[in-house]
Amino acid sequence: MTAPVFSEENETPEAPAAVPVEGLILVATPIGNLGDISRRALETLAAADIVACEDTRLTGRLLQRFAIKARLLAYQDHNAEKSRPELLRLLAAGKSIALVTDAGTPTISDPGYKLVREAAAQGTPVTAVPGPAAPVVALSISGLPTDRFFFGGFLPTKPGERRRILEEVARLRATLIFFEAPRRLAETLGDALEILGPRDMAVARELTKRFEEVTRGRIEDLARHYAEIETPKGEAVLMFGPPESDERPSEETLDALLDEALGRLSLKDAAKEVAAETGLPRKQVYERALQLRDGGAG
């Protein structure tokens, strides 16, 4: 998610007291509001021998804001394979390392899980200082079911791969959560409407910041809304409610509905109407309508 906006205030807070730490400690950092950082997180960052982070400049500003001096090492997607052996060597030598991400909880949609796995395998203690995580924050205020959810990280940028991912999870009986860039928001919601079928959803932006926004409604309504407005700012959290019914119409029922609709509507409109009536993904209904129109039994 988008990194937090740092205050330009001139006052420098008193440095937090250092507390004994050991091994690898995953430290959650704010996703937008610096007031969300915990006292324990600050104490851990102050005490660690090394702070491993995605962007040393961004994390450096966070540490400077709280008067923390620390040795920073970059650990992110582009250098993880080269940096991980050095971090593991330092851990094996008894150094303590605090792992942070630009915003939120480490290992959630970043490469940190491999460091955790290999550190644990070599006998290094691995602990966490919990805190903000954008998927959970967004879900908690979405108004969608929270008892079961699937987090898929960032959707692929290529349309074909994005649609494939949506097709894979379309029938999961859970709330689906994805990150998406603002410039692809309208296109992605169009794909979601076609593949996931009618259901409730929510779009969350600027979480914990001054202009936090959560838009709730039906996929079709939100797809139309974001197609009509200017591209919003800030990465979005997309949340799709679970399929609305487990009751799937039989093939005979689906074909009968399509035959009737095709007698008075275009192929596209017939598929749209039957998908809305049955709750089936529009792509599935369209493909069956195409088979019926062309005389195939499928």
Side-chain angles (χ1 to χ4, degrees):
M1 290 300 293
T2 304
V5 177
F6 291 91
S7 171
E8 298 299 329
E9 296 176 359
N10 293 323
E11 63 175 328
T12 301
E14 182 179 348
V19 295
V21 296
E22 64 173 338
L24 178 64
I25 314 99
L26 281 63
V27 181
T29 55
I31 61 175
N33 189 321
L34 280 184
D36 292 336
I37 196 162
S38 71
R39 177 177 177 179
R40 183 175 167 221
L42 294 175
E43 291 175 345
T44 301
L45 292 171
D49 295 315
I50 298 160
V51 175
C53 55
E54 285 187 82
D55 187 327
T56 56
R57 294 168 299 178
L58 182 64
T59 299
R61 291 175 61 192
L62 172 65
L63 299 182
Q64 183 180 26
R65 176 68 181 82
F66 292 100
I68 296 173
K69 295 181 180 181
R71 177 187 174 190
L72 299 177
L73 290 179
Y75 183 70
Q76 21 82 351
D77 283 323
H78 301 297
N79 75 345
E81 295 304 317
K82 293 183 178 180
S83 297
R84 190 159 54 249
E86 174 62 11
L87 294 176
L88 291 168
R89 185 190 66 80
L90 291 167
L91 288 167
K95 297 294 184 181
S96 59
I97 297 179
L99 177 67
V100 302
T101 185
D102 283 348
T105 298
T107 76
I108 304 301
S109 203
D110 74 30
Y113 82 91
K114 293 181 180 178
L115 179 61
V116 169
R117 181 179 60 196
E118 295 182 29
Q122 73 177 19
T124 297
V126 179
T127 57
V129 178
V136 175
V137 172
L139 177 63
S140 69
I141 57 177
S142 68
L144 296 170
T146 60
D147 54 335
R148 297 181 66 193
F149 61 91
F150 169 86
F151 173 58
F154 281 95
L155 282 163
T157 59
K158 295 181 179 180
E161 294 179 5
R162 180 173 63 241
R163 292 171 64 87
R164 178 182 60 80
I165 293 297
L166 291 173
E167 288 169 357
E168 286 179 357
V169 300
R171 301 310 302 172
L172 285 181
R173 299 296 302 170
T175 296
L176 310 176
I177 308 173
F178 295 99
F179 291 156
E180 186 55 284
R183 65 183 180 278
R184 291 190 296 272
L185 185 54
E187 182 181 0
T188 294
L189 291 181
D191 288 343
L193 174 60
E194 179 178 342
I195 295 168
L196 300 182
R199 62 180 74 187
D200 291 330
M201 74 162 299
V203 177
R205 299 174 44 255
E206 300 290 283
L207 288 169
T208 76
K209 298 180 182 178
R210 179 181 179 185
F211 297 107
E212 176 177 286
E213 175 187 84
V214 181
T215 307
R216 306 172 181 88
R218 303 288 290 174
I219 292 184
E220 54 268 35
D221 296 330
L222 269 61
R224 181 172 58 252
H225 169 73
Y226 284 103
E228 294 173 348
I229 66 172
E230 292 185 9
T231 301
K233 296 181 179 180
E235 290 166 354
V237 184
L238 309 183
M239 294 160 286
F240 305 99
E244 296 179 343
S245 175
D246 278 329
E247 296 182 8
R248 300 170 66 89
S250 66
E251 291 183 5
E252 293 77 10
T253 299
L254 176 60
D255 288 354
L257 291 171
L258 284 171
D259 281 336
E260 192 278 329
L262 287 168
R264 53 187 172 81
L265 297 171
S266 68
L267 179 70
K268 181 179 179 181
D269 288 341
K272 180 179 179 181
E273 179 179 280
V274 174
E277 182 177 350
T278 62
L280 293 172
R282 190 184 299 183
K283 179 183 178 182
Q284 176 185 340
V285 176
Y286 181 88
E287 290 177 348
R288 183 55 184 162
L290 190 61
Q291 291 175 344
L292 292 174
R293 188 199 64 179
D294 295 340

